[in-house]
Amino acid sequence: MYPRSIQNLIESFKTFAGIGEKTAERLAFSVLSMEKEQVKNLSDNLIMAKQNIKRCKKCNNLTENEICDICNDKARKHDTLCVVEEPKTVFSIEKLGTYHGDYHVLNGLIASFNNINPEELRIDTLINRIQNSQYKEVIVAVKQCIEGEITALYIKNILSDMNIKVTRIASGIPMGADIEYIDSITLEKAFDNRTTIS
Amino acid sequence: MYPRSIQNLIESFKTFAGIGEKTAERLAFSVLSMEKEQVKNLSDNLIMAKQNIKRCKKCNNLTENEICDICNDKARKHDTLCVVEEPKTVFSIEKLGTYHGDYHVLNGLIASFNNINPEELRIDTLINRIQNSQYKEVIVAVKQCIEGEITALYIKNILSDMNIKVTRIASGIPMGADIEYIDSITLEKAFDNRTTIS
């Protein structure tokens, strides 16, 4: 029904995660109302991003170089290692500007029912890094879910004889949320992990 | 903070209408997890769409040719003309499959406070088409808002001495909507335009 070029563009947008028919149509029409130069830029930037971005040889984060800017940053404290599921989380934490340690990107979580075993994740390189460094603490910053729980426990276990503190970011009620709408598991965790008012 | 290629891609996505920082980031990461071939296709389709799509010389709809498929379709009834604000509406109505007449895309609505006067819209070509055709009815299918109202009335007026029926698509309560949440203008219109139960 659409002219072929528009239909092709809509189909391309539909391959994005979480983009359905309606949004793909909206994006395609948005392209048509852009300046030619702007569309050329987007088209080039797509190719460049796919071409240039690779994984950091050290932490497995996204980078344009062999070693990412964070790993290369001499000013950072190399006594703490934050383990995350995917590169996106690195950027979310970096935006806070409060964490200054190293990162390690697993590229997934352990999910035996989906056949994602520890061997498929970057856990071997994690152990390797920890053995060859002076880390005092490993912070596991993964999703609050069964797979996250399993992955955190697995890491805790394999590091148990290494005299290293393994922590997990807190689970609880998000800021501003109404307690009556919070699921029972989160509420239970919030009670269990209650902190002293000082 | 992001590697430059990712940052550039995010900036490109942010130029889309209605795409903010968070969604642009999500789209950029989505690109990184696509196959190289898929990204190449998207990149090409962007350029092709911008290059190939132009306006139909007759109805002003989007097309790859001089005259669009709808205008060229001999099987359609050329006694009804549906006037719409933008090409998107043509495709929305076509999806229904119940309207088989012609279209005319205005490319905007009259909004004197925004300096959009009838001369800026395709109203001259509209009059031209009607004068040279056998249309029995002009259906004004534009947004229910002040600009839509003004545009519909303007079209009604300029066609008043042409012995042609000018109608407007109905305004009222959408299917499934709770009446208590409907704004008062819509509810008033729904009362005014009530239909006989047969």
Side-chain angles (χ1 to χ4, degrees), chain A residues 5 25 34 50 64 95, chain B residues 5 25 34 50 64 95:
Chain A
S5 322
E25 286 175 353
M34 283 178 186
K50 192 65 195 168
E64 288 177 345
K95 272 188 192 163
Chain B
S5 323
E25 286 174 353
M34 284 178 184
K50 191 65 197 170
E64 288 177 346
K95 272 187 191 163

Side-chain angles (χ1 to χ4, degrees), chain B residues 5-170:
Chain B
S5 323
I6 300 184
Q7 191 59 49
N8 288 346
L9 189 55
I10 293 173
E11 294 304 324
S12 273
F13 279 127
K14 272 166 67 183
T15 62
F16 279 84
I19 298 284
E21 182 84 28
K22 283 265 172 192
T23 313
E25 286 174 353
R26 192 165 57 79
L27 292 174
F29 276 100
S30 204
V31 169
L32 296 174
S33 62
M34 284 178 184
E35 294 298 316
K36 212 167 180 171
E37 189 58 26
Q38 216 175 334
V39 178
K40 177 82 176 65
N41 272 343
L42 169 57
S43 173
D44 290 347
N45 288 340
L46 280 162
I47 299 291
M48 293 308 278
K50 191 65 197 170
Q51 220 162 53
N52 295 351
I53 296 296
K54 42 196 173 191
R55 295 305 186 113
C56 169
K57 287 253 189 284
K58 216 164 165 182
C59 74
N60 197 33
N61 188 17
L62 301 174
T63 175
E64 288 177 346
N65 310 306
E66 288 295 289
I67 302 292
C68 76
D69 289 350
I70 296 174
C71 285
N72 262 338
D73 189 346
K74 295 272 184 294
R76 293 183 79 102
K77 287 180 188 160
H78 299 293
D79 60 352
T80 320
L81 185 67
C82 179
V83 179
V84 298
E85 181 186 347
E86 42 180 21
K88 239 188 219 170
T89 317
V90 173
F91 300 110
S92 298
I93 298 174
E94 280 302 287
K95 272 187 191 163
L96 300 176
T98 50
Y99 175 74
H100 304 291
D102 288 344
Y103 288 96
H104 189 84
V105 179
L106 292 178
N107 233 19
L109 295 174
I110 301 170
S112 17
F113 44 90
N114 269 340
N115 269 328
I116 307 179
N117 298 311
E119 304 82 58
E120 264 111 314
L121 307 179
R122 292 296 185 112
I123 288 182
D124 48 343
T125 52
L126 172 68
I127 301 171
N128 221 324
R129 282 182 78 184
I130 293 173
Q131 277 170 339
N132 297 307
S133 310
Q134 303 293 319
Y135 291 121
K136 289 184 187 134
E137 183 178 353
V138 169
I139 304 171
V140 183
V142 297
K143 228 182 285 172
Q144 303 289 351
C145 60
I146 296 175
E147 295 88 332
E149 204 77 37
I150 294 171
T151 309
L153 280 175
Y154 184 87
I155 293 172
K156 165 80 193 161
N157 278 342
I158 51 165
L159 301 183
S160 61
D161 52 356
M162 276 196 223
N163 188 28
I164 199 162
K165 193 170 150 192
V166 182
T167 57
R168 184 148 187 219
I169 56 167

Side-chain angles (χ1 to χ4, degrees), chain A:
Chain A
M1 191 192 59
Y2 289 110
R4 174 143 309 276
S5 322
I6 300 184
Q7 191 61 48
N8 287 346
L9 189 55
I10 293 173
E11 295 304 324
S12 272
F13 280 127
K14 272 164 68 183
T15 62
F16 279 84
I19 299 283
E21 182 85 28
K22 283 267 172 190
T23 313
E25 286 175 353
R26 192 165 58 79
L27 292 175
F29 277 101
S30 204
V31 169
L32 295 174
S33 62
M34 283 178 186
E35 295 298 317
K36 213 167 180 172
E37 189 58 27
Q38 216 176 334
V39 178
K40 177 84 176 66
N41 272 343
L42 170 57
S43 172
D44 290 347
N45 288 340
L46 280 162
I47 299 291
M48 293 308 278
K50 192 65 195 168
Q51 223 162 52
N52 295 350
I53 296 296
K54 43 197 172 190
R55 295 307 187 113
C56 170
K57 287 252 189 284
K58 216 165 167 183
C59 74
N60 196 33
N61 188 18
L62 300 175
T63 176
E64 288 177 345
N65 310 306
E66 288 296 288
I67 302 291
C68 76
D69 289 350
I70 296 174
C71 285
N72 262 338
D73 190 346
K74 295 270 184 294
R76 294 184 78 102
K77 289 179 187 159
H78 300 294
D79 60 350
T80 320
L81 184 67
C82 179
V83 179
V84 299
E85 180 186 348
E86 41 180 22
K88 239 188 218 171
T89 316
V90 173
F91 300 111
S92 298
I93 298 175
E94 280 301 288
K95 272 188 192 163
L96 301 176
T98 49
Y99 174 73
H100 304 291
D102 287 344
Y103 289 97
H104 189 85
V105 180
L106 292 177
N107 233 20
L109 295 174
I110 301 170
S112 17
F113 44 90
N114 269 341
N115 268 327
I116 306 178
N117 298 311
E119 304 83 57
E120 263 111 315
L121 306 179
R122 293 295 185 112
I123 289 182
D124 48 343
T125 52
L126 172 68
I127 302 171
N128 222 324
R129 282 183 77 184
I130 292 173
Q131 278 169 340
N132 296 307
S133 310
Q134 304 294 319
Y135 292 121
K136 290 184 187 135
E137 182 178 353
V138 169
I139 305 171
V140 183
V142 297
K143 229 183 284 170
Q144 303 290 351
C145 61
I146 296 175
E147 295 89 331
E149 205 76 37
I150 294 171
T151 309
L153 280 175
Y154 185 86
I155 292 171
K156 164 80 193 161
N157 278 341
I158 50 165
L159 301 183
S160 59
D161 51 357
M162 276 195 222
N163 188 28
I164 200 162
K165 193 170 150 192
V166 182
T167 58
R168 183 147 188 220
I169 56 167
S171 175
I173 317 285
M175 293 302 284
D178 280 334
I179 291 177
E180 63 262 41
Y181 293 123
I182 292 293
D183 66 289
S184 55
I185 301 175
T186 304
L187 192 54
E188 206 181 312
K189 283 240 180 195
F191 262 91
D192 288 349
N193 303 334
R194 64 192 177 276
T195 55
T196 311
I197 302 168
S198 54

